Amino acid sequence: MGNMKIKAKADGDIVKAKVMAKHPMLTYNAAKKKGKEANFITYIVGKVGDKIVYEASTSQFLSKNPLFKFKFKGAKKGDELTMTWTDLKGKTVTESKKIK
């Protein structure tokens, strides 16, 4: 089972992408209440080849299993969208999916 669900569909010269990152996104307050350490995704980037098509610095204010939706140009059906996220503890997850 992956840590991300990626859907990317070419519509003419625009690719529409939806990425769900599976992560508990534990805020500082919630972590304190549960007696755990805070941990949430702090950065996410999407690439097609060497080209960055999506990039965001994120915070504890995203919900559990956050969903990222974005559109971009410069890719076609059959290309691969590679997403990478990094969390507060430095864990990095990378997954790829072919654009349909």
Side-chain angles (χ1 to χ4, degrees):
M1 188 175 88
N3 289 299
M4 274 187 266
K5 280 186 181 174
I6 301 170
K7 285 183 182 175
K9 191 171 169 48
D11 186 6
D13 64 344
I14 294 173
V15 176
K16 294 177 182 176
K18 279 187 201 170
V19 179
M20 188 188 80
K22 293 180 189 169
H23 197 284
M25 299 297 284
L26 211 52
T27 66
Y28 290 106
N29 286 346
K32 199 167 148 185
K33 285 177 189 167
K34 292 179 180 180
K36 294 181 176 180
E37 275 185 73
N39 193 22
F40 46 85
I41 293 170
T42 57
Y43 178 74
I44 186 163
V45 63
K47 290 182 177 183
V48 174
D50 289 339
K51 183 182 167 201
I52 293 174
V53 295
Y54 182 79
E55 186 174 25
S57 291
T58 55
S59 73
Q60 63 177 329
F61 301 108
L62 290 174
S63 65
K64 180 180 177 179
N65 301 330
L67 180 65
F68 300 90
K69 288 168 115 176
F70 56 96
K71 295 177 185 176
F72 60 93
K73 288 184 173 186
K76 61 192 179 308
K77 193 174 172 175
D79 286 351
E80 209 162 57
L81 172 62
T82 300
M83 299 297 301
T84 302
W85 60 251
T86 305
D87 70 16
L88 196 60
K89 292 185 176 180
K91 179 182 176 187
T92 298
V93 171
T94 300
E95 288 190 25
S96 298
K97 186 87 178 219
K98 280 208 187 310
I99 295 168
K100 293 184 178 202

Coordinates of all heavy atoms in Angstrom, one line a residue:
M1 N 0.8 -1.2 0.0 CA 0.0 0.0 0.0 C 0.9 1.2 0.0 O 1.8 1.4 0.8 CB -0.9 0.0 1.2 CG -1.9 1.1 1.2 SD -3.1 1.0 2.6 CE -2.2 1.9 3.8
G2 N 0.6 2.2 -0.9 CA 1.4 3.4 -1.0 C 1.0 4.4 0.0 O 0.0 4.3 0.7
N3 N 1.8 5.5 0.1 CA 1.6 6.6 0.9 C 1.0 7.8 0.2 O 0.8 8.8 0.8 CB 2.9 7.0 1.6 CG 3.4 6.0 2.6 OD1 2.8 5.8 3.6 ND2 4.6 5.5 2.3
M4 N 0.7 7.5 -1.1 CA 0.0 8.6 -1.9 C -0.9 7.9 -2.9 O -0.6 6.8 -3.4 CB 1.0 9.4 -2.6 CG 1.6 10.5 -1.9 SD 2.7 11.6 -2.9 CE 4.3 10.9 -2.6
K5 N -2.0 8.6 -3.2 CA -2.9 8.2 -4.3 C -2.7 9.4 -5.3 O -3.0 10.5 -5.0 CB -4.3 8.1 -3.8 CG -4.7 6.8 -3.1 CD -6.2 6.8 -2.9 CE -6.5 5.5 -2.1 NZ -7.9 5.5 -1.7
I6 N -2.3 9.0 -6.5 CA -2.0 10.0 -7.5 C -2.9 9.7 -8.7 O -3.0 8.6 -9.2 CB -0.6 10.0 -8.0 CG1 0.4 10.3 -6.8 CG2 -0.3 11.0 -9.1 CD1 1.9 10.0 -7.1
K7 N -3.6 10.8 -9.1 CA -4.4 10.7 -10.4 C -4.0 11.9 -11.2 O -4.0 13.0 -10.8 CB -5.9 10.8 -10.1 CG -6.5 9.6 -9.5 CD -8.0 9.7 -9.3 CE -8.6 8.5 -8.7 NZ -10.1 8.6 -8.4
A8 N -3.6 11.6 -12.5 CA -3.2 12.7 -13.4 C -3.8 12.4 -14.8 O -3.6 11.3 -15.3 CB -1.7 12.8 -13.4
K9 N -4.5 13.3 -15.3 CA -5.2 13.1 -16.6 C -5.0 14.3 -17.5 O -5.1 15.4 -17.1 CB -6.7 13.0 -16.3 CG -7.5 12.5 -17.5 CD -8.9 12.2 -17.0 CE -10.0 11.9 -18.1 NZ -9.7 11.1 -19.1
A10 N -4.5 14.0 -18.7 CA -4.3 15.0 -19.7 C -5.6 15.4 -20.4 O -6.4 14.6 -20.7 CB -3.3 14.5 -20.8
D11 N -5.8 16.7 -20.5 CA -7.0 17.2 -21.1 C -6.5 18.3 -22.1 O -6.2 19.4 -21.7 CB -7.9 17.8 -20.0 CG -9.2 18.3 -20.6 OD1 -9.5 18.1 -21.8 OD2 -10.0 18.9 -19.9
G12 N -6.2 17.9 -23.3 CA -5.6 18.8 -24.3 C -4.1 19.0 -23.8 O -3.4 18.0 -23.6
D13 N -3.7 20.3 -23.7 CA -2.3 20.5 -23.3 C -2.2 20.8 -21.7 O -1.2 21.2 -21.2 CB -1.7 21.7 -24.0 CG -2.4 23.0 -23.8 OD1 -3.5 23.0 -23.3 OD2 -1.8 24.1 -24.1
I14 N -3.3 20.6 -21.0 CA -3.3 20.8 -19.6 C -3.5 19.4 -18.9 O -4.3 18.6 -19.3 CB -4.5 21.7 -19.2 CG1 -4.2 23.1 -19.7 CG2 -4.6 21.8 -17.7 CD1 -5.3 24.1 -19.5
V15 N -2.7 19.2 -17.9 CA -2.8 18.0 -17.0 C -3.5 18.4 -15.7 O -3.1 19.4 -15.1 CB -1.4 17.4 -16.8 CG1 -1.6 16.2 -15.9 CG2 -0.8 16.9 -18.1
K16 N -4.5 17.7 -15.4 CA -5.2 17.9 -14.1 C -4.7 16.8 -13.1 O -4.8 15.6 -13.5 CB -6.7 17.8 -14.3 CG -7.3 19.0 -15.1 CD -8.8 18.8 -15.3 CE -9.3 19.9 -16.2 NZ -10.7 19.8 -16.5
A17 N -4.3 17.2 -12.0 CA -3.7 16.2 -11.0 C -4.4 16.3 -9.7 O -4.8 17.4 -9.2 CB -2.2 16.4 -10.8
K18 N -4.6 15.2 -9.1 CA -5.2 15.1 -7.7 C -4.2 14.1 -7.0 O -4.0 13.0 -7.4 CB -6.6 14.5 -7.7 CG -7.7 15.4 -8.0 CD -9.0 14.6 -7.8 CE -10.1 15.3 -8.5 NZ -11.3 14.5 -8.5
V19 N -3.7 14.6 -5.8 CA -2.8 13.8 -5.0 C -3.3 13.8 -3.6 O -3.4 14.8 -3.0 CB -1.4 14.4 -5.1 CG1 -0.4 13.5 -4.3 CG2 -0.9 14.4 -6.6
M20 N -3.5 12.6 -3.1 CA -3.8 12.4 -1.7 C -2.6 11.8 -1.0 O -2.2 10.8 -1.3 CB -5.0 11.6 -1.4 CG -5.5 11.6 0.1 SD -6.7 10.4 0.5 CE -5.8 9.0 0.7
A21 N -2.1 12.6 0.0 CA -1.0 12.1 0.8 C -1.5 11.4 2.1 O -2.3 12.1 2.8 CB -0.1 13.3 1.1
K22 N -1.2 10.2 2.3 CA -1.7 9.5 3.5 C -0.7 9.9 4.6 O 0.4 9.4 4.6 CB -1.7 8.0 3.2 CG -2.8 7.6 2.2 CD -2.8 6.1 2.0 CE -3.7 5.8 0.9 NZ -3.6 4.4 0.4
H23 N -1.2 10.7 5.5 CA -0.4 11.1 6.7 C -1.3 11.6 7.8 O -2.3 12.2 7.5 CB 0.5 12.3 6.2 CG 1.6 12.6 7.1 ND1 1.5 13.2 8.3 CD2 3.0 12.3 7.0 CE1 2.7 13.3 8.9 NE2 3.6 12.8 8.1
P24 N -1.0 11.3 9.0 CA -1.8 11.7 10.2 C -1.9 13.2 10.4 O -2.8 13.7 11.0 CB -1.2 10.9 11.4 CG 0.2 10.6 11.0 CD 0.2 10.5 9.5
M25 N -0.9 13.9 9.9 CA -0.9 15.4 10.1 C -1.2 15.8 11.5 O -2.1 16.6 11.8 CB -1.9 16.0 9.1 CG -1.6 15.7 7.6 SD 0.0 16.4 7.0 CE -0.4 18.1 6.8
L26 N -0.4 15.3 12.4 CA -0.6 15.6 13.9 C -0.1 17.0 14.2 O 1.1 17.3 14.2 CB 0.2 14.5 14.7 CG -0.4 14.1 16.0 CD1 -1.9 13.7 15.9 CD2 0.4 13.0 16.6
T27 N -1.0 17.9 14.6 CA -0.6 19.3 15.0 C 0.1 19.3 16.3 O 0.0 18.3 17.1 CB -1.8 20.2 15.1 OG1 -2.7 19.7 16.2 CG2 -2.6 20.2 13.8
Y28 N 0.7 20.4 16.7 CA 1.3 20.5 18.0 C 0.3 20.3 19.1 O 0.6 19.6 20.1 CB 2.0 21.9 18.2 CG 3.2 22.0 17.3 CD1 3.2 22.8 16.1 CD2 4.4 21.3 17.6 CE1 4.3 22.9 15.3 CE2 5.5 21.4 16.7 CZ 5.5 22.2 15.6 OH 6.6 22.3 14.8
N29 N -0.9 20.9 19.0 CA -1.9 20.8 20.1 C -2.4 19.3 20.2 O -2.5 18.8 21.3 CB -3.1 21.7 19.8 CG -2.7 23.1 20.1 OD1 -1.7 23.4 20.8 ND2 -3.5 24.1 19.6
A30 N -2.7 18.7 19.1 CA -3.2 17.3 19.1 C -2.2 16.4 19.6 O -2.5 15.5 20.4 CB -3.7 16.9 17.7
A31 N -0.9 16.6 19.2 CA 0.1 15.7 19.6 C 0.3 15.8 21.2 O 0.5 14.8 21.8 CB 1.4 16.1 18.9
K32 N 0.2 17.0 21.7 CA 0.4 17.3 23.1 C -0.7 16.5 23.9 O -0.4 15.8 24.9 CB 0.3 18.8 23.4 CG 0.9 19.2 24.7 CD 1.0 20.7 24.7 CE 0.8 21.3 26.1 NZ 0.9 22.8 26.1
K33 N -1.9 16.6 23.4 CA -3.1 15.9 24.0 C -2.9 14.4 24.0 O -3.3 13.7 25.0 CB -4.4 16.3 23.4 CG -4.9 17.7 23.7 CD -6.1 18.0 22.9 CE -6.5 19.5 23.1 NZ -7.5 19.9 22.1
K34 N -2.3 13.9 22.9 CA -2.2 12.4 22.8 C -0.8 11.9 23.4 O -0.5 10.7 23.3 CB -2.2 12.0 21.3 CG -3.6 12.2 20.7 CD -3.6 11.9 19.3 CE -5.0 12.1 18.7 NZ -5.1 11.7 17.2
G35 N 0.0 12.9 23.8 CA 1.3 12.5 24.4 C 2.3 12.0 23.3 O 3.1 11.1 23.5
K36 N 2.1 12.5 22.1 CA 3.0 12.2 21.0 C 3.7 13.4 20.5 O 3.5 14.5 20.9 CB 2.1 11.6 19.8 CG 1.4 10.3 20.2 CD 0.7 9.8 18.9 CE 0.0 8.4 19.2 NZ -0.7 7.9 18.1
E37 N 4.6 13.2 19.5 CA 5.3 14.3 18.9 C 4.5 14.8 17.7 O 3.9 14.0 17.0 CB 6.7 13.8 18.4 CG 7.8 13.8 19.4 CD 9.1 13.4 18.7 OE1 9.7 14.2 18.0 OE2 9.5 12.3 19.0
A38 N 4.5 16.1 17.5 CA 3.9 16.6 16.3 C 4.6 16.2 15.1 O 5.8 16.0 15.1 CB 3.9 18.2 16.4
N39 N 3.8 15.9 14.1 CA 4.4 15.5 12.8 C 3.4 15.8 11.7 O 2.3 15.3 11.7 CB 4.8 14.0 12.8 CG 5.7 13.7 11.6 OD1 6.3 14.6 11.0 ND2 5.8 12.5 11.2
F40 N 3.8 16.5 10.7 CA 3.0 16.8 9.5 C 3.8 17.1 8.3 O 5.0 17.3 8.4 CB 2.1 18.1 9.9 CG 2.8 19.2 10.5 CD1 3.5 20.1 9.7 CD2 2.9 19.3 11.9 CE1 4.2 21.2 10.3 CE2 3.5 20.4 12.5 CZ 4.2 21.3 11.7
I41 N 3.2 17.0 7.2 CA 3.9 17.3 5.9 C 4.3 18.8 5.9 O 3.5 19.6 6.1 CB 3.1 16.9 4.7 CG1 2.9 15.4 4.7 CG2 3.7 17.4 3.4 CD1 1.8 14.9 3.7
T42 N 5.6 19.0 5.6 CA 6.1 20.4 5.5 C 6.4 20.9 4.1 O 6.5 22.1 3.9 CB 7.4 20.6 6.4 OG1 8.3 19.6 5.9 CG2 7.1 20.3 7.9
Y43 N 6.5 19.9 3.2 CA 6.9 20.3 1.8 C 6.4 19.2 0.9 O 6.5 18.0 1.2 CB 8.4 20.4 1.7 CG 8.9 20.7 0.4 CD1 8.8 22.0 -0.2 CD2 9.6 19.8 -0.4 CE1 9.3 22.3 -1.5 CE2 10.1 20.1 -1.6 CZ 10.0 21.3 -2.2 OH 10.5 21.6 -3.4
I44 N 5.9 19.6 -0.3 CA 5.5 18.7 -1.3 C 5.9 19.2 -2.7 O 5.7 20.5 -2.9 CB 4.0 18.3 -1.2 CG1 3.6 17.2 -2.2 CG2 3.1 19.5 -1.4 CD1 2.3 16.5 -1.9
V45 N 6.4 18.4 -3.5 CA 6.8 18.8 -4.9 C 6.3 17.8 -5.9 O 6.4 16.6 -5.6 CB 8.3 19.1 -4.9 CG1 9.1 17.8 -4.7 CG2 8.7 19.7 -6.2
G46 N 5.9 18.3 -7.1 CA 5.6 17.4 -8.2 C 6.4 17.7 -9.4 O 6.7 18.9 -9.7
K47 N 6.9 16.7 -10.0 CA 7.8 16.8 -11.2 C 7.4 15.9 -12.3 O 6.9 14.8 -12.1 CB 9.3 16.5 -10.8 CG 9.9 17.4 -9.9 CD 11.4 17.0 -9.6 CE 12.1 18.0 -8.8 NZ 13.5 17.6 -8.6
V48 N 7.6 16.4 -13.5 CA 7.5 15.6 -14.7 C 8.9 15.7 -15.3 O 9.3 16.8 -15.7 CB 6.5 16.1 -15.7 CG1 6.5 15.3 -17.0 CG2 5.1 16.0 -15.1
G49 N 9.7 14.6 -15.3 CA 11.1 14.7 -15.7 C 11.8 15.5 -14.7 O 11.7 15.4 -13.5
D50 N 12.6 16.5 -15.2 CA 13.3 17.5 -14.3 C 12.5 18.7 -14.0 O 13.0 19.6 -13.3 CB 14.6 17.9 -14.9 CG 15.6 16.7 -15.0 OD1 15.4 15.8 -14.2 OD2 16.6 16.7 -15.8
K51 N 11.3 18.9 -14.6 CA 10.6 20.1 -14.5 C 9.6 20.0 -13.3 O 8.8 19.1 -13.2 CB 9.8 20.3 -15.8 CG 9.0 21.6 -15.8 CD 8.2 21.7 -17.1 CE 7.2 22.8 -17.0 NZ 6.1 22.7 -18.0
I52 N 9.7 21.0 -12.4 CA 8.8 21.1 -11.3 C 7.5 21.7 -11.8 O 7.4 22.8 -12.4 CB 9.4 22.0 -10.2 CG1 10.6 21.4 -9.6 CG2 8.3 22.3 -9.1 CD1 11.3 22.2 -8.5
V53 N 6.4 20.9 -11.5 CA 5.0 21.4 -12.0 C 4.2 21.8 -10.8 O 3.1 22.4 -11.0 CB 4.3 20.3 -12.8 CG1 5.1 20.0 -14.1 CG2 4.2 19.0 -12.0
Y54 N 4.6 21.5 -9.6 CA 3.8 21.8 -8.4 C 4.8 21.8 -7.2 O 5.6 20.9 -7.1 CB 2.7 20.9 -8.1 CG 1.9 21.2 -6.9 CD1 0.9 22.2 -7.0 CD2 2.0 20.6 -5.7 CE1 0.1 22.6 -5.9 CE2 1.3 21.0 -4.6 CZ 0.3 22.0 -4.7 OH -0.4 22.3 -3.6
E55 N 4.7 22.9 -6.4 CA 5.6 22.9 -5.2 C 4.9 23.7 -4.1 O 4.3 24.8 -4.4 CB 6.9 23.6 -5.6 CG 7.9 23.6 -4.5 CD 9.3 24.2 -5.0 OE1 9.3 25.0 -6.0 OE2 10.3 23.9 -4.4
A56 N 4.9 23.2 -2.9 CA 4.2 23.9 -1.8 C 4.9 23.6 -0.5 O 5.3 22.5 -0.2 CB 2.8 23.5 -1.7
S57 N 5.1 24.7 0.3 CA 5.5 24.5 1.7 C 4.2 24.4 2.5 O 3.3 25.3 2.3 CB 6.3 25.6 2.2 OG 7.6 25.6 1.5
T58 N 4.0 23.4 3.3 CA 2.8 23.2 4.0 C 3.0 23.3 5.6 O 4.1 23.3 6.0 CB 2.1 21.9 3.6 OG1 3.1 20.9 3.9 CG2 1.8 21.9 2.2
S59 N 1.9 23.4 6.3 CA 2.0 23.5 7.8 C 1.1 22.5 8.4 O 0.5 21.7 7.8 CB 1.6 24.9 8.2 OG 0.2 25.1 8.0
Q60 N 1.0 22.6 9.7 CA 0.2 21.8 10.6 C -1.3 22.0 10.3 O -2.2 21.3 10.8 CB 0.5 21.9 12.0 CG 0.2 23.3 12.6 CD 0.4 23.5 14.0 OE1 0.3 22.5 14.8 NE2 0.8 24.7 14.4
F61 N -1.7 23.0 9.5 CA -3.1 23.4 9.4 C -3.8 22.7 8.2 O -4.8 23.1 7.8 CB -3.2 24.9 9.3 CG -2.6 25.6 10.5 CD1 -1.4 26.3 10.4 CD2 -3.3 25.5 11.7 CE1 -0.9 26.9 11.6 CE2 -2.7 26.0 12.9 CZ -1.6 26.8 12.8
L62 N -3.2 21.6 7.7 CA -3.8 20.8 6.7 C -4.4 19.6 7.5 O -3.9 19.1 8.5 CB -2.8 20.3 5.7 CG -2.3 21.3 4.7 CD1 -1.2 20.7 3.8 CD2 -3.4 21.9 3.8
S63 N -5.6 19.1 7.0 CA -6.2 18.0 7.6 C -5.4 16.7 7.4 O -4.5 16.6 6.6 CB -7.6 17.8 7.0 OG -7.5 17.5 5.7
K64 N -5.8 15.7 8.1 CA -5.3 14.3 8.0 C -5.5 13.9 6.5 O -6.5 14.2 5.9 CB -6.0 13.4 8.9 CG -5.5 11.9 8.8 CD -6.3 11.1 9.8 CE -5.9 9.7 9.7 NZ -6.6 8.8 10.7
N65 N -4.5 13.2 5.9 CA -4.6 12.7 4.5 C -5.0 13.9 3.6 O -6.0 13.8 2.9 CB -5.6 11.6 4.4 CG -5.2 10.4 5.2 OD1 -4.0 10.1 5.5 ND2 -6.2 9.6 5.7
P66 N -4.1 14.9 3.5 CA -4.5 16.1 2.7 C -4.6 15.8 1.2 O -3.8 14.9 0.7 CB -3.4 17.1 3.0 CG -2.2 16.3 3.4 CD -2.8 15.1 4.2
L67 N -5.4 16.5 0.5 CA -5.6 16.3 -0.9 C -5.1 17.6 -1.6 O -5.5 18.7 -1.3 CB -7.1 16.2 -1.2 CG -7.5 16.0 -2.7 CD1 -7.0 14.7 -3.2 CD2 -9.0 16.0 -2.8
F68 N -4.2 17.4 -2.6 CA -3.7 18.5 -3.3 C -4.2 18.4 -4.8 O -4.1 17.3 -5.4 CB -2.1 18.4 -3.4 CG -1.5 18.5 -2.0 CD1 -1.3 17.3 -1.3 CD2 -1.1 19.7 -1.4 CE1 -0.7 17.4 0.0 CE2 -0.6 19.8 -0.2 CZ -0.3 18.6 0.5
K69 N -4.8 19.5 -5.3 CA -5.4 19.5 -6.6 C -4.7 20.6 -7.4 O -4.6 21.7 -6.9 CB -6.9 19.8 -6.6 CG -7.7 18.6 -6.1 CD -9.1 19.1 -5.9 CE -10.1 18.4 -6.8 NZ -11.5 18.8 -6.5
F70 N -4.2 20.3 -8.6 CA -3.5 21.3 -9.3 C -3.5 21.0 -10.8 O -3.8 19.9 -11.2 CB -2.1 21.5 -8.8 CG -1.2 20.3 -8.8 CD1 -0.4 20.0 -9.9 CD2 -1.3 19.4 -7.8 CE1 0.4 18.8 -9.9 CE2 -0.5 18.3 -7.7 CZ 0.4 18.0 -8.8
K71 N -3.3 22.0 -11.6 CA -3.2 21.8 -13.1 C -1.9 22.3 -13.6 O -1.3 23.2 -13.0 CB -4.3 22.7 -13.8 CG -5.7 22.2 -13.5 CD -6.7 23.2 -14.1 CE -8.1 22.9 -13.7 NZ -9.0 23.8 -14.3
F72 N -1.4 21.8 -14.7 CA -0.1 22.3 -15.2 C 0.0 21.9 -16.7 O -0.8 21.1 -17.2 CB 1.1 21.7 -14.5 CG 1.2 20.2 -14.5 CD1 2.0 19.5 -15.5 CD2 0.6 19.4 -13.6 CE1 2.1 18.2 -15.5 CE2 0.7 18.0 -13.6 CZ 1.4 17.4 -14.6
K73 N 0.9 22.6 -17.4 CA 1.1 22.4 -18.8 C 2.5 21.8 -19.0 O 3.3 21.8 -18.0 CB 1.0 23.7 -19.6 CG -0.4 24.3 -19.7 CD -0.3 25.5 -20.6 CE -1.8 26.0 -20.9 NZ -1.8 27.1 -21.8
G74 N 2.8 21.3 -20.2 CA 4.1 20.9 -20.4 C 4.3 19.4 -20.2 O 5.5 18.9 -20.1
A75 N 3.2 18.6 -20.2 CA 3.3 17.2 -20.1 C 2.2 16.6 -21.0 O 1.3 17.3 -21.3 CB 3.2 16.7 -18.6
K76 N 2.4 15.3 -21.3 CA 1.4 14.7 -22.1 C 1.1 13.3 -21.6 O 1.7 12.8 -20.7 CB 1.9 14.6 -23.5 CG 3.2 13.7 -23.7 CD 3.8 13.9 -25.1 CE 5.0 13.2 -25.3 NZ 6.1 13.4 -24.3
K77 N 0.0 12.7 -22.1 CA -0.4 11.3 -21.8 C 0.8 10.4 -21.9 O 1.6 10.5 -22.9 CB -1.5 10.9 -22.8 CG -2.2 9.7 -22.4 CD -3.4 9.5 -23.4 CE -4.1 8.2 -23.1 NZ -5.2 8.0 -23.9
G78 N 1.0 9.6 -20.9 CA 2.2 8.6 -20.9 C 3.4 9.1 -20.2 O 4.2 8.4 -19.7
D79 N 3.5 10.5 -20.0 CA 4.6 11.0 -19.1 C 4.3 10.6 -17.7 O 3.2 10.2 -17.3 CB 4.6 12.5 -19.2 CG 5.2 13.1 -20.5 OD1 5.7 12.3 -21.3 OD2 5.0 14.3 -20.7
E80 N 5.3 10.7 -16.9 CA 5.1 10.3 -15.5 C 5.2 11.5 -14.5 O 6.1 12.3 -14.6 CB 6.3 9.3 -15.1 CG 5.8 8.3 -14.0 CD 6.7 7.1 -14.0 OE1 8.0 7.3 -13.8 OE2 6.2 6.0 -14.1
L81 N 4.2 11.6 -13.7 CA 4.2 12.6 -12.6 C 4.8 12.0 -11.4 O 4.3 11.0 -10.9 CB 2.7 13.1 -12.4 CG 2.5 14.0 -11.2 CD1 3.3 15.3 -11.4 CD2 1.0 14.3 -11.0
T82 N 5.8 12.6 -10.8 CA 6.4 12.1 -9.6 C 6.2 13.1 -8.5 O 6.6 14.3 -8.6 CB 8.0 11.9 -9.9 OG1 8.1 10.9 -10.9 CG2 8.7 11.4 -8.6
M83 N 5.6 12.6 -7.4 CA 5.3 13.5 -6.3 C 6.2 13.1 -5.1 O 6.4 11.9 -4.9 CB 3.9 13.3 -5.8 CG 2.9 13.7 -6.9 SD 2.9 15.5 -7.3 CE 2.6 16.3 -5.8
T84 N 6.7 14.0 -4.4 CA 7.5 13.8 -3.2 C 7.1 14.7 -2.0 O 6.9 15.9 -2.2 CB 9.0 14.1 -3.5 OG1 9.5 13.3 -4.6 CG2 9.9 13.7 -2.2
W85 N 6.8 14.1 -0.9 CA 6.6 14.9 0.3 C 7.6 14.6 1.4 O 8.2 13.5 1.4 CB 5.1 14.8 0.8 CG 4.6 13.5 1.3 CD1 3.6 12.8 0.6 CD2 4.9 12.7 2.5 NE1 3.3 11.6 1.3 CE2 4.1 11.6 2.5 CE3 5.7 12.9 3.5 CZ2 4.1 10.6 3.5 CZ3 5.7 12.0 4.6 CH2 4.9 10.9 4.5
T86 N 7.8 15.6 2.2 CA 8.7 15.5 3.4 C 8.0 16.0 4.6 O 7.2 17.0 4.5 CB 9.9 16.4 3.1 OG1 10.5 16.1 1.9 CG2 11.0 16.3 4.3
D87 N 8.1 15.2 5.7 CA 7.4 15.7 6.9 C 8.4 16.2 7.9 O 9.6 16.3 7.7 CB 6.5 14.6 7.5 CG 7.3 13.4 8.1 OD1 8.5 13.5 8.4 OD2 6.6 12.3 8.3
L88 N 7.8 16.7 9.0 CA 8.6 17.4 10.1 C 9.7 16.5 10.6 O 10.8 17.1 11.0 CB 7.6 17.7 11.2 CG 8.1 18.8 12.2 CD1 8.3 20.1 11.6 CD2 7.0 18.9 13.3
K89 N 9.6 15.2 10.6 CA 10.6 14.3 11.1 C 11.7 14.0 10.1 O 12.6 13.2 10.3 CB 10.0 13.1 11.7 CG 9.2 13.3 13.0 CD 8.7 12.0 13.6 CE 8.0 12.3 14.9 NZ 7.5 11.1 15.5
G90 N 11.5 14.5 8.9 CA 12.5 14.3 7.8 C 12.2 13.1 6.9 O 12.9 12.8 6.0
K91 N 11.0 12.4 7.2 CA 10.7 11.3 6.3 C 10.3 11.8 5.0 O 9.5 12.8 4.9 CB 9.5 10.5 7.0 CG 9.1 9.3 6.1 CD 7.9 8.6 6.7 CE 7.4 7.5 5.8 NZ 6.2 6.8 6.3
T92 N 10.7 11.1 3.9 CA 10.4 11.5 2.6 C 9.8 10.4 1.9 O 10.3 9.2 2.0 CB 11.7 11.9 1.8 OG1 12.3 13.1 2.5 CG2 11.4 12.3 0.4
V93 N 8.7 10.6 1.2 CA 8.0 9.6 0.4 C 7.9 10.1 -1.1 O 7.5 11.2 -1.3 CB 6.6 9.3 1.0 CG1 5.8 8.4 0.0 CG2 6.8 8.6 2.3
T94 N 8.3 9.2 -2.0 CA 8.2 9.6 -3.4 C 7.4 8.5 -4.1 O 7.7 7.3 -3.9 CB 9.6 9.7 -4.1 OG1 10.3 10.7 -3.4 CG2 9.5 10.0 -5.5
E95 N 6.4 8.9 -4.9 CA 5.7 8.0 -5.8 C 5.4 8.6 -7.1 O 5.3 9.8 -7.2 CB 4.4 7.6 -5.1 CG 4.6 6.7 -3.9 CD 3.3 6.1 -3.3 OE1 2.3 5.9 -4.0 OE2 3.3 5.7 -2.1
S96 N 5.3 7.7 -8.1 CA 5.0 8.2 -9.5 C 3.8 7.5 -10.1 O 3.5 6.4 -9.7 CB 6.2 7.9 -10.4 OG 7.4 8.5 -9.9
K97 N 3.2 8.2 -11.0 CA 2.1 7.7 -11.7 C 2.1 8.2 -13.2 O 2.4 9.4 -13.4 CB 0.8 8.1 -11.0 CG -0.5 7.5 -11.5 CD -0.8 6.2 -10.9 CE -2.1 5.7 -11.3 NZ -2.9 5.1 -10.3
K98 N 1.8 7.3 -14.1 CA 1.7 7.7 -15.5 C 0.5 8.6 -15.7 O -0.6 8.4 -15.2 CB 1.6 6.5 -16.4 CG 3.0 5.9 -16.7 CD 3.0 5.2 -18.1 CE 4.2 4.4 -18.3 NZ 5.5 5.0 -18.1
I99 N 0.6 9.6 -16.5 CA -0.5 10.5 -16.9 C -1.4 9.8 -17.9 O -0.9 9.3 -18.9 CB 0.1 11.9 -17.4 CG1 0.9 12.6 -16.3 CG2 -1.1 12.7 -17.9 CD1 1.7 13.8 -16.8
K100 N -2.6 9.8 -17.6 CA -3.6 9.1 -18.5 C -4.2 10.1 -19.5 O -4.3 11.3 -19.3 CB -4.7 8.5 -17.7 CG -4.2 7.4 -16.8 CD -5.4 6.7 -16.1 CE -4.8 5.6 -15.3 NZ -5.7 4.5 -14.9

